[in-house]
Amino acid sequence: MTVVGFDFGTTNSLASVVIGNEVITFLENEQPIPSVVSFEGGKVEVGRKAHDKLTSAGLGVQGSTVRSPKTLLGREEQLIDGVRRDPVKMVEHVLDHVRRFVLQTKAGRDLPMDRVVATIPVNMEGHRRALLRQAFRQAGMSVVQFVHEPLAALYGYLRMSEGTSDLIRRYDGKLLLVFDWGGGTLDLTLCRVLNGLLVQVANDGTEEVGGDVFDEELRNEVEKRSRAEQGLGDDVEVLPEARKRLLHECEKAKIRLSDRSTWNVYVDPYYQDDKQSDLQVNLSRDDLQDIVGHLVKKGVARIERLLEREGFSTASVELCLATGGMVNMPMVKNRLDELFGPGRVHVSKRSASAIAEGAAWVAHDQARLHLAKNVELALARNSYMPLLQAGVEMPIERENRRERFDLYCVDPSDGHGKFSLVSPHRPGPRVLANDKRRPLCNMLLKVDGKAQPFRERLGLEVNIDENLVLTATAWSLNQKGKAVAEVHDLEFALATPGARNSWLNASLLGSDGEVSPNEPGDLSMRSNIAAREDVSLVPGEVLYRYNPYYFRVEQNPPQIQVEERLYYEPCAICGRASNDPLCRCASLLTSRQQPSGRLNA
Amino acid sequence: MGERDAGATFDTMSQQKRKKSKPYDYKTRVLAVRVEQRLRKEGNQMMATSGTPPVASADASAPVTPAPVPTEALKIEAQGSVPAVEPLVAAAEAAVVLPPEAPSAPSTAEAAVPTLPAELAVADAKAGESPSPASTGEGNSEATKSEAAGKKPKAEPETLEQFIEYAYGRKGQPLTLKPKVEKHIAQNARLDDVALSRLLQVTKGDTLLAVPRQILLLSQEVTGLPGLKAALTSFVSNVMLRHPVFGDTGVQGALRNLPEALPPAEALARVAAFEPAPSANSEPLKGSDLRDLRHNAVRLFVTWLGVSRSLNSEELSSLLFQVVWQPAAKDLADDTARLRALTDVGQAAGVGLACQRFRQQAMEARTQQDQAQREATSLRDRLSAAETQLSDTAEQLEAVQAELQALRESAAAEIAALRRQHADERTHLQHELEQLRGRLVKRLTDSVDMLEVGLSALRKDSPRVPVMVERAEHVVDALRAEVQALREE
C-alpha cells in the first residue's frame, strides 16, 4: 500500500510520494498549494484562488478568508462570513483540495491517497495532533504517523544525497540545524544524530518574520515612496483591491530581485486620482535590503539566540539545512553563509518541497518515530525509575504502547501518593542519576494515611497513543483512588535511513558523573513511591513510629534516617520541632550527663 | 488301495479256488439265442396269420436305448441257461468251435487297480490274474459240466459277433487278437441289429461289467483297421448306455460328451456311488458284488474317457485320485489300516505309473516352483531396482519441478518487477510531462501578464517605457532560460 507524504504547512500544503526510487511532488503550475480557504459568498475556495483574496500578511482569519487554518486547531469555532465554522472543518477543506488535486493528475490518479505520513510543527501539542488526525480522516485519509517538519526535511536531505550511509556516519553526534523560513513562520530546530536516530535537541520559532511579513513591509514602503514621488497625500484613497494587487506585485518584486538588480513595481490603476492613478516605484536590491533587511537580521538572529540558549556556537553546527521559500532570497542565503560558512549551508533546489519530499521518504522507508528521552518516575530518595526508555518505537495509527508497574507507598502519612513523571534533558537511554530532569506531569493519589510503609499497593500505567499523547494513570488498591494525567510534549527522534536503533540495547548508567546544579527557585516533589520494599527508603521519622527497634544502635540504621528522625520528630520532652530555638531539651540532657555518660538521676 | 479292496482281492482269489466257478457258457447261450430268435420268428409268423402285431425285434437303425435290465433277470440268465434251449445245446456243441475257456472276470483286486493302457493290461493278464467268479456272478454247474463233457478244439472267431461273444466268455480277462483273426474280423466289422441285439443279451450276463473294459482296451490295440476299432468302441458304448450303472442322465451326457454334460469328475463320482434301484423281480446285489460292479464301472468309465476324449494318463490318474483313491484313503482309520492298504497293492505297475506320474508332477511342480521362485526373486530384484529407479526418478522429477517452480516464481517476480518498473517509469514520465506543462503554462502566463502590464504602461498618456522594457527583458530572459532548460532536458 502506497503511503503519501503530506506536508500540511502553515503557508503551503504539498503532497509527495516515492514511486520506484524517485520522489514525485505534486505542484500546481510549479507552485505549492497555499493553505488558504475562502468562504466568500458561501462558496468554498481553497488554494491559489483563496490566496489571491488575501489583503495582508498574518495567519488566521482575514474577513472571509482563512490563512493557515492549522493554527486555529484547538480553538473554538470561528465566525467567518456570518457562519460559525469549526477549524477542523476548515483544515479538512484544505486537505481535501490537495487530495483531489493529486488524484486529478495523470501521475497521481492511480494512487489510493488514503494513507499519509503527515508533517507537524515541533510545538504542536497532542490534542491538536488528535484534531489534525480527525481532519485528515474526514478528508478521506488516515494518518499512519506524524513526523516533525524539521526531522522530515533532514531525513529527505540524507535520503536523497549520494552516500547516505557515509553522510550519516559523518554527522553522527554532530549538531544539525534545520532553518525553515516559509511564508508564514520561521522555525528553527537543532538536531543531533545519535546512534542512528535524528534527535531533536532544541527548537525555536516565530511568526513575526514570515515571508508574508516581508511582502507587507515592502508594500507599505512602496506605497509610501510612490506617494512621495508622485506627490500624493494620505488623503488620496487607494482603489479597492489595489492594495491586494500591490501586495502581490511586491511579492513578485521580492522574487525577481533575486535575479535582477532592479525592478519596477507597477500597479495600474492604484489611486483614486484622475491624474495619477497608477503606481510605479523602482526598487533595487539595495532598496530591498533597506526595507526588509531588518527582518532578515531578526530572523537569522534567532539562530544565534537558540544556539546561545542551548550552549552552542555556530561553529558546533555541522550542517544548516535551509528550507522554505524565503531561503531563496540572496540576502538570507548570504547571511547564512556568513554565519556557518558556505560549506555547511545547504539550500535545496526545491526548498519549498523539501519537507513534503522528506515525509514521502519517511513513508516509503517506513521510518518510525522513537522516544528521544526517557520517561521516568521519580522515586523516594530522588532516584528515578524509567517507565519508557529512550529509543522505544512510537505507535502508529491504531496502535498503543502501554506499560504497567506495581509500586509501593513508602510514606503514606499525608494520605497521598505522589507521582512525578520527569524526562531528562539528555537524549538517549544513557542518563545519569543526577542529570537535570524536566517535569512532565505530577499526580496525587489518595492512599491510606494510617497504613504502614509499603502496605499500600499502588499501580501505574503509562500509555502512548497514535497521537503521541502519553496518558499516565495511577490507582491505589486499598483506598481505590485514581489519578490521571496527560503529557502532550514528549520529544521524539526519527530513525535515519537504514540505521539500526542501538538505544534499546544500551543500559542505564549508574550514579556517576558530574552533578547537575539546580537553578534557583527549582522545586521538586518529594516522591514517596518505591518500586521495591526497602526500609531505607522510608523517612526516618515515619519509620520510627512503626519500628523504633530499627533505630537501636546495634541495628546500625542508615545515618540519613537517623538524622531525619532526629530532625523531623518533635521533641519528646517539649513537643517542639527539633529546629525550634525554644527547644533546649537536648542541651539540658547533655548538662545532666555525668562524665561517665550516665544521666544524673 | 483300500483294505476292503485288498481283502476282496484275497477273498476273490481264494474264492476262485474254493468255489466252484460257474464259467459263462457262451456256447449254450449262443444256441439259446438262436433258438429264441427262431421261436420268435415262428411266433411272429403265427401272429401275422392271426392278425396279432408281431413281437418287435431289435431295430438296428434305431438308437440303442439301453433298457434297465433287472438284476434278477441278469442273475437268472447268468446263473442258468434258458431251459428251453438246453436240448439244443448238445446239438449245437458239436457245431461250435469255442476258444478255450477264458478265465473268469478279473478279480476285484484288479478292479481296484487303476485303469491301465492296453499293453499293460495285457501284461497284467500275462502276470496271471486269477479269474473272478464275482464278475460273472455265476456258479452254475453247466459250464463245469460242459468242461467235464470234454475238451473240444478251440475255433477262432470269424465274425465280430463271435469275437464279442468270445470276449464275454473270457469273463473280463484281458483279450488278445491275432493279426490273422483281426484281419478276418475286420472284413466284416459291422454288427447288424440282430447281432447287436443278440450280443446285448449276452452282455446281460456280465452283471458286474467286467468285459467291456477289456473290449475297449483291445480296440485301442487295433491299428490300421478303423472300422473294427470303431465297431468295438460302438459296441462298448451301447453296453454302457444300457447298463444301470450309467443310467444317470448326467453320466449319460458325459458318455456322449454332450455340451451340457457333467464334468468327468462328477460323472465318475456318480458312477462310483451307484446304488441299484430295488427290484421285485431280482435279488439285490451282494455287497461284494456291488463293490465289484462299482469298481468295474469306474474303470470302464475312466477307460472310456481315455479313449473317447483322449485324456492322457496324467489326467486319468488325477481323475481317479480325485474320485476314487483319495476318498478311499480317507477311510483308513489308523496306521495299521494304512500299512495294510499299502502292502496290499496288487497292480504295482499301475501304482507305479500313477505314483510316477504324481512324482513327475511333483517334480515338475517343484521345478516350476523353483523356477517361479527364481523368477519371483528376479522379479523382486527387478522390482526393487525399478522402485529405486522410480524413487530416484521421482526425486529428480521433484527437483526439476521445484526448479521449474522456482524458475516460474522468479520469472513471475521478474515480470512483476519489470511491470512495476515500467509502471513507475510511465508515472514518472507522466509527472515530468505534467510538471513541464505546468511550468510552461506558468511561464507563459506570467509572461503574458507581464507584457500586458507593460503594454498597459505603454498606453498611458505618458508611457511608462521603463516598465515595459523591464518586463519585456524579464519575459525574454525567462523564455530564453526556459528554452535552454528544455534543450538540456
Side-chain angles (χ1 to χ4, degrees):
Chain A
M1 289 291 282
T2 306
V3 180
V4 175
F6 203 114
D7 174 21
F8 180 44
T10 306
T11 309
N12 297 308
S13 294
L14 208 50
S16 295
V17 68
V18 175
I19 294 179
N21 205 29
E22 290 182 32
V23 65
I24 289 178
T25 303
F26 297 95
L27 294 166
E28 188 178 28
N29 294 333
E30 231 183 7
Q31 290 178 298
I33 298 171
S35 302
V36 185
V37 58
S38 166
F39 301 96
E40 193 174 307
K43 185 180 170 187
V44 179
E45 284 182 326
V46 183
R48 187 61 53 187
K49 288 181 182 174
H51 179 269
D52 290 344
K53 293 179 182 175
L54 292 170
T55 56
S56 62
L59 305 176
V61 181
Q62 293 181 20
S64 58
T65 308
V66 181
R67 182 204 290 263
S68 186
K70 183 173 71 174
T71 56
L72 302 177
L73 282 176
R75 298 187 194 175
E76 293 182 354
E77 290 182 343
Q78 306 288 310
L79 186 66
I80 300 170
D81 203 29
V83 178
R84 301 202 72 80
R85 299 186 188 272
D86 180 15
V88 172
K89 190 67 181 173
M90 293 184 222
V91 169
E92 180 196 335
H93 286 307
V94 176
L95 301 177
D96 185 61
H97 178 84
V98 174
R99 177 173 172 273
R100 287 174 188 277
F101 169 73
V102 170
L103 288 176
Q104 59 90 27
T105 62
K106 287 182 182 175
R109 64 186 169 190
D110 294 330
L111 290 176
M113 274 305 285
D114 57 353
R115 301 180 76 212
V116 301
V117 167
T119 60
I120 51 174
V122 170
N123 56 356
M124 181 177 253
E125 300 91 3
H127 68 277
R128 292 180 65 208
R129 293 195 287 264
L131 292 172
L132 182 60
R133 183 183 292 273
Q134 180 187 343
F136 267 100
R137 195 176 298 123
Q138 287 174 195
M141 294 174 280
S142 66
V143 178
V144 174
Q145 74 167 355
F146 290 112
V147 64
H148 295 92
E149 289 164 357
L151 296 181
L154 263 178
Y155 190 96
Y157 164 72
L158 293 172
R159 187 65 168 81
M160 289 189 286
S161 299
E162 287 186 10
T164 301
S165 307
D166 294 336
L167 210 57
I168 293 170
R169 208 174 300 120
R170 176 184 151 192
Y171 290 139
D172 187 40
K174 305 285 175 51
L175 276 176
L176 308 176
L177 175 68
V178 180
F179 184 77
D180 181 16
W181 203 340
T185 59
L186 168 63
D187 295 309
L188 307 171
T189 308
L190 209 55
C191 303
R192 197 189 289 275
V193 179
L194 286 177
N195 298 115
L197 293 174
L198 291 171
V199 181
Q200 178 193 326
V201 175
N203 65 283
D204 190 22
T206 178
E207 295 174 4
E208 298 172 359
V209 292
D212 296 338
V213 176
F214 277 63
D215 299 337
E216 198 170 66
E217 192 92 2
L218 199 58
R219 182 189 63 180
N220 295 338
E221 182 62 26
V222 165
E223 183 179 330
K224 183 179 169 185
R225 288 191 186 185
S226 168
R227 284 179 184 276
E229 285 175 10
Q230 291 171 243
L232 298 171
D234 293 336
D235 56 331
V236 176
E237 296 288 329
V238 174
L239 291 168
E241 303 293 318
R243 279 214 168 89
K244 186 166 66 178
R245 283 185 283 127
L246 180 60
L247 184 67
H248 295 155
E249 284 299 316
C250 289
E251 181 185 358
K252 293 174 187 174
K254 179 185 72 179
I255 296 170
R256 277 158 202 154
L257 283 172
S258 304
D259 305 324
R260 300 177 66 87
S261 56
T262 60
W263 186 258
N264 272 291
V265 179
Y266 185 79
V267 178
D268 181 38
Y270 188 77
Y271 297 106
Q272 286 186 3
D273 187 282
D274 296 333
K275 293 179 185 177
Q276 291 185 357
S277 61
D278 59 354
L279 178 149
Q280 181 192 354
V281 172
N282 188 280
L283 285 178
S284 66
R285 277 186 186 165
D286 292 337
D287 292 331
L288 187 63
Q289 170 83 25
D290 293 337
I291 296 168
V292 298
H294 69 281
L295 293 173
V296 173
K297 279 184 189 172
K298 193 175 178 182
V300 176
R302 293 195 78 97
I303 298 175
E304 292 165 310
R305 198 171 111 183
L306 171 65
L307 291 173
E308 188 183 337
R309 189 186 77 199
E310 296 300 321
F312 301 116
S313 65
T314 54
S316 55
V317 175
E318 186 65 25
L319 170 72
C320 174
L321 180 63
T323 64
M326 288 298 294
V327 300
N328 292 318
M329 282 185 70
M331 268 192 290
V332 174
K333 190 171 184 313
N334 292 338
R335 190 73 188 95
L336 290 175
D337 288 342
E338 287 172 14
L339 215 55
F340 299 107
R344 287 188 289 161
V345 175
H346 177 82
V347 177
S348 171
K349 289 179 184 175
R350 298 182 294 193
S351 58
S353 56
I355 292 173
E357 291 173 359
W361 281 111
V362 169
H364 176 265
D365 297 345
Q366 297 181 359
R368 296 282 290 265
L369 279 182
H370 299 258
L371 199 61
K373 298 172 182 175
N374 288 351
V375 174
E376 298 170 339
L377 175 68
L379 300 177
R381 303 240 180 258
N382 296 325
S383 61
Y384 299 97
M385 182 179 81
L387 301 176
L388 293 171
Q389 195 173 346
V392 295
E393 273 189 353
M394 290 294 97
I396 58 175
E397 61 173 336
R398 288 188 290 271
E399 282 185 5
N400 280 285
R401 183 162 194 105
R402 186 175 291 131
E403 300 287 345
R404 180 177 165 148
F405 306 89
D406 293 322
L407 305 163
Y408 304 93
C409 188
V410 172
D411 177 15
S413 53
D414 63 354
H416 289 96
K418 295 178 274 292
F419 290 82
S420 177
L421 268 64
V422 298
S423 181
H425 282 214
R426 187 198 301 262
R430 297 171 68 85
V431 281
L432 303 176
N434 47 9
D435 271 351
K436 200 172 166 80
R437 263 90 175 164
R438 169 176 78 97
L440 295 176
C441 67
N442 296 318
M443 292 184 291
L444 287 178
L445 181 67
K446 283 199 73 173
V447 298
D448 182 5
K450 294 178 183 171
Q452 291 187 12
F454 303 109
R455 283 296 174 265
E456 186 83 49
R457 295 281 189 264
L458 307 177
L460 174 66
E461 182 183 272
V462 290
N463 178 70
I464 300 181
D465 63 11
E466 60 181 1
N467 295 318
L468 308 176
V469 175
L470 183 144
T471 304
T473 308
W475 61 90
S476 57
L477 275 68
N478 288 352
Q479 288 293 106
K480 309 292 185 215
K482 188 175 178 182
V484 181
E486 285 186 352
V487 178
H488 289 255
D489 57 348
L490 292 175
E491 292 173 82
F492 305 102
L494 181 66
T496 52
R500 292 181 184 175
N501 179 15
S502 61
W503 274 9
L504 289 176
N505 297 326
S507 55
L508 295 175
L509 291 178
S511 59
D512 53 352
E514 58 188 32
V515 175
S516 187
N518 290 325
E519 293 187 3
D522 278 355
L523 292 175
S524 61
M525 180 183 286
R526 182 174 75 89
S527 176
N528 59 350
I529 306 296
R532 65 185 190 281
E533 283 198 37
D534 184 358
V535 292
S536 65
L537 300 176
V538 183
E541 74 281 10
V542 175
L543 188 59
Y544 182 75
R545 281 182 234 145
Y546 300 102
N547 188 10
Y549 181 78
Y550 180 82
F551 289 93
R552 290 175 73 87
V553 175
E554 56 269 24
Q555 297 297 324
N556 197 22
Q559 185 60 33
I560 185 169
Q561 286 178 304
V562 172
E563 290 172 2
E564 283 172 347
R565 178 214 154 193
L566 290 174
Y567 191 81
Y568 293 109
E569 189 71 8
C571 178
I573 300 173
C574 64
R576 293 190 178 92
S578 61
N579 58 351
D580 192 332
L582 296 177
C583 174
R584 294 178 191 145
C585 302
S587 58
L588 285 175
L589 284 171
T590 309
S591 65
R592 283 185 189 176
Q593 239 182 349
Q594 290 182 0
S596 64
R598 289 185 186 174
L599 287 173
N600 289 334
Chain B
M1 301 211 185
E3 180 182 357
R4 193 172 40 172
D5 291 340
T9 304
F10 264 114
D11 288 340
T12 304
M13 290 174 67
S14 61
Q15 281 175 0
Q16 286 174 1
K17 289 181 182 174
R18 287 196 300 270
K19 291 181 182 176
K20 289 183 181 176
S21 60
K22 292 184 179 178
Y24 176 66
D25 188 359
Y26 77 92
K27 184 169 63 175
T28 309
R29 181 65 191 159
V30 168
L31 288 174
V33 168
R34 286 179 181 165
V35 168
E36 184 187 346
Q37 285 177 347
R38 192 184 300 162
L39 289 175
R40 189 180 291 124
K41 194 174 178 180
E42 290 173 357
N44 287 340
Q45 286 173 353
M46 288 172 63
M47 287 180 183
T49 52
S50 66
T52 313
V55 176
S57 61
D59 186 3
S61 63
V64 175
T65 306
V69 177
T71 312
E72 190 58 34
L74 287 174
K75 204 167 183 183
I76 293 172
E77 285 188 0
Q79 286 179 349
S81 57
V82 177
V85 182
E86 280 185 3
L88 301 173
V89 170
E93 276 184 352
V96 175
V97 176
L98 301 171
E101 249 181 295
S104 59
S107 63
T108 52
E110 194 182 55
V113 172
T115 306
L116 301 171
E119 58 275 15
L120 294 177
V122 171
D124 283 340
K126 289 180 180 176
E129 294 179 57
S130 55
S132 170
S135 60
T136 57
E138 290 185 356
N140 58 358
S141 60
E142 278 77 9
T144 311
K145 287 180 183 176
S146 62
E147 283 181 3
K151 293 186 180 176
K152 296 287 171 67
K154 298 179 181 177
E156 300 286 344
E158 296 177 356
T159 65
L160 180 60
E161 182 184 354
Q162 292 174 2
F163 173 75
I164 292 174
E165 288 176 0
Y166 160 74
Y168 272 90
R170 294 277 293 164
K171 299 183 179 118
Q173 295 294 320
L175 300 172
T176 56
L177 201 57
K178 296 177 182 173
K180 187 179 171 186
V181 177
E182 187 182 271
K183 283 183 186 172
H184 192 71
I185 293 173
Q187 290 174 1
N188 187 19
R190 188 175 166 277
L191 291 173
D192 55 15
D193 297 338
V194 175
L196 180 63
S197 169
R198 255 197 320 269
L199 286 175
L200 289 175
Q201 289 295 323
V202 171
T203 62
K204 291 179 183 176
D206 181 21
T207 57
L208 299 184
L209 271 183
V211 179
R213 186 174 76 90
Q214 300 300 335
I215 297 175
L216 199 56
L217 288 171
L218 179 67
S219 72
Q220 299 304 300
E221 292 176 356
V222 173
T223 55
L225 300 169
L228 176 61
K229 192 171 190 172
L232 290 170
T233 307
S234 174
F235 174 77
V236 170
S237 170
N238 282 314
V239 170
M240 289 174 75
L241 288 171
R242 283 176 169 74
H243 200 283
V245 165
F246 304 105
D248 181 87
T249 311
V251 175
Q252 294 263 316
L255 281 175
R256 293 198 171 103
N257 201 16
L258 296 176
E260 65 276 11
L262 287 175
E266 195 173 335
L268 184 63
R270 290 192 185 184
V271 169
F274 168 72
E275 286 292 339
S279 172
N281 299 327
S282 59
E283 294 178 4
L285 280 175
K286 286 189 265 185
S288 59
D289 290 343
L290 180 60
R291 197 167 50 243
D292 291 341
L293 174 63
R294 288 178 181 150
H295 291 161
N296 290 337
V298 164
R299 293 198 298 166
L300 175 59
F301 188 74
V302 171
T303 308
W304 173 259
L305 290 176
V307 168
S308 66
R309 298 194 189 185
S310 301
L311 298 182
N312 58 29
S313 55
E314 273 186 40
E315 292 165 323
L316 297 173
S317 300
S318 298
L319 198 62
L320 282 167
F321 177 76
Q322 180 185 349
V323 179
V324 180
W325 301 336
Q326 191 177 28
K330 283 182 184 174
D331 296 335
L332 295 175
D334 52 20
D335 290 340
T336 304
R338 295 189 192 99
L339 180 63
R340 190 191 295 280
L342 278 171
T343 52
D344 280 346
V345 172
Q347 290 292 329
V351 174
L353 176 65
C355 292
Q356 186 181 357
R357 282 300 189 193
F358 290 143
R359 186 178 180 182
Q360 191 176 355
Q361 287 177 1
M363 288 176 67
E364 288 173 2
R366 169 87 52 91
T367 304
Q368 288 176 358
Q369 180 187 359
D370 291 341
Q371 188 178 358
Q373 279 180 349
R374 283 194 295 275
E375 286 178 4
T377 304
S378 168
L379 286 173
R380 271 194 218 103
D381 292 340
R382 285 175 61 190
L383 176 64
S384 174
E387 283 175 350
T388 305
Q389 190 179 5
L390 178 65
S391 171
D392 292 342
T393 307
E395 284 179 7
Q396 288 176 5
L397 179 64
E398 279 182 16
V400 168
Q401 282 177 340
E403 199 176 326
L404 179 64
Q405 182 65 20
L407 279 173
R408 279 204 192 105
E409 287 172 359
S410 72
E414 205 172 320
I415 290 169
L418 281 172
R419 282 206 179 114
R420 277 196 305 273
Q421 189 180 351
H422 289 157
D424 293 345
E425 281 179 17
R426 186 181 63 192
T427 303
H428 281 290
L429 287 172
Q430 284 173 338
H431 176 69
E432 283 174 13
L433 184 63
E434 278 181 326
Q435 293 299 304
L436 177 64
R437 192 164 153 263
R439 195 175 79 212
L440 289 176
V441 166
K442 181 175 181 300
R443 181 71 61 217
L444 293 172
T445 306
D446 286 348
S447 301
V448 167
D449 291 340
M450 212 166 283
L451 291 175
E452 278 183 349
V453 168
L455 282 175
S456 166
L458 276 180
R459 290 190 183 115
K460 296 291 290 184
D461 293 337
S462 53
R464 309 286 192 227
V465 174
V467 172
M468 180 60 196
V469 169
E470 199 171 62
R471 276 149 179 78
E473 285 176 354
H474 183 80
V475 167
V476 168
D477 290 341
L479 289 176
R480 189 178 287 132
E482 195 59 55
V483 167
Q484 183 66 25
L486 286 171
R487 281 193 183 136
E488 287 173 359
E489 283 178 4

